[in-house]
Amino acid sequence: MPGFAVYAAFLLYPLLRSVQLSFYDWDGLTLGKWAGFANYQEIISDAGLRSAFGHALVLMLFFAVIPVCVGLLLASILNRAKVRGLPFFRTVVFLPQVIAMVVVAVAWRRMYAPDGTINDLLHAIGLGSVARGWLGDYALALPAVGFIGSWFETGLVTVLLLAGMSRISGSLYEAARLDGAGPVQEFFAVTLPSVRGEIAVALTLTVIAALRTFDLVYVTTSGGPGNSTSVPSYEVYHRAFELGRVGSAAAIGVTLTVLILLISLVINKIGDREGSR
């Protein structure tokens, strides 16, 4: 009972309060006016808000899909090669996870700057024509922010998959080799089916990270240039604390919460179904 009381006070009450506020037109200071579903209708009708949710879905590719693909490759190599000093490599790939996202964002913002490390490297290898202010480019700012997410999440995914692969019995690989399977066939016939549970966990964690990311966007681009990197969590902050539209911000937050729950349920449902086969 005490545990439920703490859970209700710090999670359920704020959530229900947000749902209540989402039905009001309120600036945070004066009395709010009942707005019905107007704040939710605005999410559908406002092109900027639709773009913000679209950007969050694009970031899922960088935060979840790319790290899982790269993590599978890295974990397979490290697991099969029986690399000496594996704990050291595991620590190195996991290192980004122990750095605060704000610190990561500041470091990458400096690297992406017109006189930053990335442009210096491009000039050094004769690709100076490609150099630019990456976070100020309308077309490339969102992929540039997403790439930071890929770099940040790959270590976590690799360590999760390595833990799963370490539990695979060597007899399964020996049986596959006796049947004439090569390294690629072994990966698809033995390794991949054995780590489906870890893949589902990794996708759930990284998808949630992609959809709720705020500090990375706030520090690197503040949603710009224009609104080309704006995401729902940044819109919640922008509308609540800069525009004084608390009701609209609450509606965006509630919609984002529902979206995260639905996507997480779908990923776990697919993972459970594949695991039961």
Side-chain angles (χ1 to χ4, degrees), residues 65-96 147 149-166 173 187 191-192 195 199:
V65 179
I66 292 177
V68 167
C69 294
V70 175
L72 275 171
L73 180 64
L74 282 176
S76 297
I77 293 172
L78 291 172
N79 189 55
R80 281 184 61 87
K82 303 299 179 188
V83 179
R84 294 180 64 182
L86 183 59
F88 170 76
F89 288 104
R90 192 183 294 145
T91 303
V92 169
V93 297
F94 192 73
L95 197 57
F147 182 77
S150 299
W151 175 82
F152 186 79
E153 300 293 349
T154 296
L156 171 67
V157 174
T158 303
V159 171
L160 273 174
L161 294 175
L162 264 174
M165 290 178 188
S166 67
Y173 288 110
F187 174 79
T191 306
L192 195 57
V195 294
I199 292 175

Side-chain angles (χ1 to χ4, degrees), residues 4-275:
F4 178 77
V6 172
Y7 178 78
F10 290 98
L11 184 68
L12 293 183
Y13 175 73
L15 182 60
L16 294 175
R17 180 70 172 151
S18 296
V19 173
Q20 180 193 10
L21 290 176
S22 68
F23 292 105
Y24 283 84
D25 180 12
W26 185 42
D27 61 5
L29 297 173
T30 59
L31 285 176
K33 296 178 183 176
W34 175 258
F37 287 94
N39 290 324
Y40 291 96
Q41 290 171 348
E42 186 184 16
I43 295 174
I44 299 172
S45 62
D46 189 299
L49 288 179
R50 289 203 307 272
S51 297
F53 277 91
H55 297 157
L57 296 179
V58 172
L59 288 183
M60 284 171 52
L61 171 69
F62 288 95
F63 277 68
V65 179
I66 292 177
V68 167
C69 294
V70 175
L72 275 171
L73 180 64
L74 282 176
S76 297
I77 293 172
L78 291 172
N79 189 55
R80 281 184 61 87
K82 303 299 179 188
V83 179
R84 294 180 64 182
L86 183 59
F88 170 76
F89 288 104
R90 192 183 294 145
T91 303
V92 169
V93 297
F94 192 73
L95 197 57
Q97 287 288 321
V98 302
I99 305 174
M101 181 57 88
V102 173
V103 177
V104 170
V106 170
W108 277 93
R109 185 181 63 186
R110 182 69 194 121
M111 291 168 65
Y112 277 136
D115 60 346
T117 308
I118 292 176
N119 284 338
D120 288 345
L121 182 62
L122 290 172
H123 283 293
I125 60 176
L127 294 175
S129 59
V130 182
R132 66 195 66 205
W134 297 92
L135 296 176
D137 189 300
Y138 278 83
L140 295 176
L142 186 62
V145 172
F147 182 77
I148 303 173
S150 299
W151 175 82
F152 186 79
E153 300 293 349
T154 296
L156 171 67
V157 174
T158 303
V159 171
L160 273 174
L161 294 175
L162 264 174
M165 290 178 188
S166 67
R167 291 197 298 270
I168 301 175
S169 172
S171 60
L172 293 176
Y173 288 110
E174 290 177 10
R177 289 184 197 120
L178 288 174
D179 289 338
V184 176
Q185 288 97 339
E186 283 182 25
F187 174 79
F188 285 104
V190 179
T191 306
L192 195 57
S194 301
V195 294
R196 278 176 178 155
E198 285 76 9
I199 292 175
V201 172
L203 282 175
T204 302
L205 294 175
T206 52
V207 164
I208 291 173
L211 292 175
R212 73 177 186 182
T213 184
F214 166 76
D215 40 10
L216 177 61
V217 171
Y218 179 77
V219 173
T220 53
T221 64
S222 294
N227 68 341
S228 58
T229 60
S230 183
V231 291
S233 54
Y234 179 77
E235 287 294 334
V236 170
Y237 164 80
H238 176 59
R239 288 175 179 255
F241 299 105
E242 295 181 346
L243 301 182
R245 299 190 58 195
V246 179
S248 176
I252 296 170
V254 171
T255 305
L256 181 61
T257 302
V258 172
L259 184 62
I260 288 173
L261 285 174
L262 288 176
I263 293 178
S264 299
L265 284 174
V266 169
I267 291 173
N268 284 285
K269 189 74 176 176
I270 294 174
D272 291 343
R273 188 175 61 189
E274 295 293 331

